[in-house]
Amino acid sequence: MTIIYCMSFNVDLKRGKYYETKALENLKTHGFKKLKIYEGYKKEYDISGRFKKKKVYIECKYSKYVSYTNKIFIEVFTTKFKESGITATRSDYYILYSYFDYWIIETDELKKALEEHLRSVCNIKNATHIQLIDYIKENGCYTNNSIGVIIPMDTIQKRCIFYGNHKKRNNNNNVFV
């Protein structure tokens, strides 16, 4: 089973903006307030707002593959081992989108899910956080721009604070993206 996956960073601005706008709508239904999309490139977070009377930052991610595989790619580093994705974010929450569904999870819980998955699949159950990071570095590929881990949504969903559907499924569940 492959858990380390390298991906090219191919900016799809139109799709990214669509899901950030969708996130505002979905986050509001769960009590997030005063939401604002950060315009421009910012690797630390995409959206700022308030939740439970606290200033919060939110990272918004979309993957069409979740609908096919029930797994998602979580970016950890660039191929030059610079912090990127979950290691660079200042966000308090992630909102993850598939074609039909969304999940809202605290960033710290997503990190714990990532570590739990690595420990179970890689048979390094007692590994420290640093050893897990070293494992990712040693087993990543170096040809593209991102290094990360593919993690089952079940591992993430059990740690989510909210889950919902943002799009209705058709009868045969075909996904056209």
Side-chain angles (χ1 to χ4, degrees), residues 13-173:
L13 189 58
K14 188 176 179 182
R15 182 177 288 150
K17 291 295 172 201
Y18 170 81
Y19 281 100
E20 286 174 0
T21 303
K22 194 68 148 157
L24 295 183
E25 198 179 294
N26 297 135
L27 289 163
K28 283 178 185 173
T29 65
H30 296 293
F32 288 80
K33 300 176 190 238
K34 297 183 181 180
L35 296 165
K36 181 182 176 205
I37 295 173
Y38 182 85
E39 296 297 329
Y41 174 75
K42 188 166 189 79
K43 67 179 183 178
E44 292 92 1
Y45 61 89
D46 297 317
I47 299 167
S48 63
R50 299 197 66 76
F51 185 61
K52 297 182 179 177
K53 298 182 181 180
K54 231 176 97 180
K55 176 91 171 165
V56 294
Y57 301 99
I58 302 137
E59 186 70 30
C60 180
K61 295 294 173 201
Y62 166 79
S63 174
K64 66 181 177 183
Y65 300 108
V66 174
S67 300
Y68 301 110
T69 65
N70 199 34
K71 296 176 183 174
I72 192 165
F73 174 83
I74 303 296
E75 182 181 346
V76 180
F77 296 108
T78 68
T79 53
K80 295 179 182 174
F81 300 116
K82 292 184 179 174
E83 289 187 341
S84 184
I86 200 158
T87 57
T89 190
R90 279 188 31 221
S91 70
D92 302 292
Y93 296 90
Y94 266 67
I95 183 164
L96 306 169
Y97 280 95
S98 71
Y99 190 75
F100 297 109
D101 306 309
Y102 69 91
W103 299 262
I104 302 171
I105 185 169
E106 292 177 17
T107 301
D108 287 342
E109 287 298 313
L110 183 57
K111 288 177 181 178
K112 288 176 187 173
L114 186 71
E115 288 183 9
E116 173 189 315
H117 178 65
L118 280 172
R119 283 189 177 100
S120 68
V121 174
C122 303
N123 200 22
I124 47 177
K125 293 178 182 6
N126 297 319
T128 65
H129 178 74
I130 300 298
Q131 288 170 321
L132 292 173
I133 296 299
D134 287 344
Y135 183 88
I136 294 169
K137 286 180 179 178
E138 289 170 17
N139 292 282
C141 85
Y142 306 92
T143 57
N144 296 318
N145 297 327
S146 297
I147 299 172
V149 177
I150 296 174
I151 183 170
M153 287 308 297
D154 297 345
T155 304
I156 292 173
Q157 189 164 336
K158 67 183 179 186
R159 295 176 177 271
C160 286
I161 60 169
F162 300 111
Y163 163 78
N165 306 104
H166 66 93
K167 212 178 251 192
K168 289 188 178 183
R169 298 176 191 272
N170 60 22
N171 290 339
N172 57 8
N173 285 340

